[in-house]
């Protein structure tokens, strides 16, 4: 797998948020294999290739840590285009991935038909080069629906996934899920709100035993190929759900009695 991270270095990204992005990526690139390569492209006042594709996965993020933040209008399309160019050196047969982090806005404002044409131009080039563009929408001041829709379309058209983050904590969770998806982890995220308005969440990461031979969405394969006992998982999950229902009923009875 070859991955190019496209990271924001604009003036409205604070040092705190820059560090959160870097730390989030450093925490999860350990899931990549020994032969996987990582490159880093930063966008701000200009576009910079901090590191080309390399097996030394931390060097590009270390360079990003030291990068000064300049400019207010991000060159999103140009940065993604440069990342695709970097992946042209990737050998045939390797998975090519771009991971864009930002709010989806671009230095050159486009609306309507002009924006649609630019998005189409970008995803057509990505598909031509067999590149999948994952996107994590995030900005300290929030993200708007138009830019979010642009990222969602770009990821979907290239066979990848769009995710949105509204806080530093959720940003790091989205980065974890994105890298997990790229390296063949099956990520199960369940959210349930009980009648008592208690939020319950489960997150399960299932790592394939032989990642290069097993692929998950958006890469299709047979479930039997995953080195995981799905029947046992179904039984355990079912028992867990039953116990959860029983526990919920007990809590309700206790609350009603007292």
């Amino acid at each position: 797998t070859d991955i190019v991270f496209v990271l924001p270095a604009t003036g409205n990204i604070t040092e705190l948020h820059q560090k959160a992005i870097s730390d989030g990526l450093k925490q999860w690139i350990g899931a990549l294999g020994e032969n996987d390569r990582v490159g880093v492209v930063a966008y701000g006042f200009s576009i910079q290739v901090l590191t080309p594709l390399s097996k030394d996965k931390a060097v590009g993020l270390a360079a990003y840590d030291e990068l000064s933040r300049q400019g207010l209008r991000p060159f999103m399309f140009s940065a993604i285009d440069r990342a695709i160019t970097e992946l042209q050196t990737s050998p045939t047969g390797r998975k090519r991935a771009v991971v864009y982090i930002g709010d989806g806005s671009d230095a050159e404002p486009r609306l309507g038909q002009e924006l649609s044409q630019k998005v189409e131009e970008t995803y057509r080039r990505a598909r031509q080069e067999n590149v999948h563009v994952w996107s994590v929408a995030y900005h300290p001041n929030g993200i708007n629906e138009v830019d979010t829709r642009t990222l969602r379309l770009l990821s979907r058209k290239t066979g990848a996934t769009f995710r949105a983050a509204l806080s530093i904590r959720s940003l790091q969770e989205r980065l974890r899920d994105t890298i997990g998806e790229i390296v063949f982890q099956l990520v199960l995220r369940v959210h349930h709100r009980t009648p008592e308005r208690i939020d319950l969440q489960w997150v399960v990461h299932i790592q394939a035993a032989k990642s290069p031979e097993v692929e998950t969405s958006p890469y299709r394969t047979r479930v039997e190929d995953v080195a995981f006992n799905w029947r046992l998982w179904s039984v355990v999950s079912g028992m867990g759900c039953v116990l959860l229902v029983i526990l919920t009923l007990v809590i309700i009875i206790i609350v009603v009695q007292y």
Side-chain angles (χ1 to χ4, degrees), residues 164-176:
L166 301 178
S167 65
I168 290 179
R169 179 177 178 180
S170 65
L171 170 64
Q172 296 183 333
E173 290 176 350
R174 302 300 180 267
L175 294 176
R176 174 194 62 193

Side-chain angles (χ1 to χ4, degrees), residues 2-9 18 21-22 25-26 29 32 37-43 46-67 79-80 82-84 86-87 97-101 179:
D2 287 340
I3 306 175
V4 176
F5 293 111
V6 179
L7 308 180
Q18 182 177 0
I21 292 171
S22 180
L25 292 174
K26 289 176 183 175
I29 59 174
L32 298 176
R37 300 186 299 173
V38 166
V40 177
V41 172
Y43 64 90
S46 61
I47 297 170
Q48 302 179 57
V49 179
L50 300 185
T51 54
L53 289 170
S54 170
K55 292 182 181 179
D56 188 348
K57 303 169 183 62
V59 63
L61 297 178
Y64 180 66
D65 287 339
E66 303 299 324
L67 189 65
I80 292 176
R82 183 56 186 267
I84 294 173
E86 291 296 308
L87 286 166
V98 169
V99 177
Y100 165 87
I101 302 171
I179 295 177

Side-chain angles (χ1 to χ4, degrees), residues 2-122:
D2 287 340
I3 306 175
V4 176
F5 293 111
V6 179
L7 308 180
T10 52
N12 49 16
I13 294 291
T14 66
E15 183 177 352
L16 174 65
H17 294 95
Q18 182 177 0
K19 185 176 186 302
I21 292 171
S22 180
D23 289 349
L25 292 174
K26 289 176 183 175
Q27 185 177 1
W28 299 108
I29 59 174
L32 298 176
E34 180 181 351
N35 294 320
D36 294 335
R37 300 186 299 173
V38 166
V40 177
V41 172
Y43 64 90
F45 182 76
S46 61
I47 297 170
Q48 302 179 57
V49 179
L50 300 185
T51 54
L53 289 170
S54 170
K55 292 182 181 179
D56 188 348
K57 303 169 183 62
V59 63
L61 297 178
Y64 180 66
D65 287 339
E66 303 299 324
L67 189 65
S68 61
R69 302 170 304 281
Q70 299 179 355
L72 297 176
R73 303 186 67 85
F75 291 86
M76 182 192 75
F77 286 112
S78 298
I80 292 176
D81 190 65
R82 183 56 186 267
I84 294 173
T85 298
E86 291 296 308
L87 286 166
Q88 286 181 319
T89 63
S90 182
T92 303
R94 289 177 72 91
K95 182 189 291 186
R96 300 176 174 184
V98 169
V99 177
Y100 165 87
I101 302 171
D103 62 0
S105 62
D106 192 70
E108 185 177 341
R110 298 177 178 87
L111 296 173
Q113 186 64 27
E114 186 181 4
L115 176 60
S116 298
Q117 289 176 350
K118 187 59 181 179
V119 173
E120 182 177 358
E121 175 187 319
T122 302

Side-chain angles (χ1 to χ4, degrees), residues 128-149:
Q128 182 180 359
E129 300 294 340
N130 196 28
V131 173
H132 306 272
V133 182
W134 275 264
S135 56
V136 179
Y138 175 74
H139 193 279
N141 300 324
I143 49 181
N144 66 59
E145 181 59 30
V146 174
D147 296 331
T148 297
R149 193 161 54 243

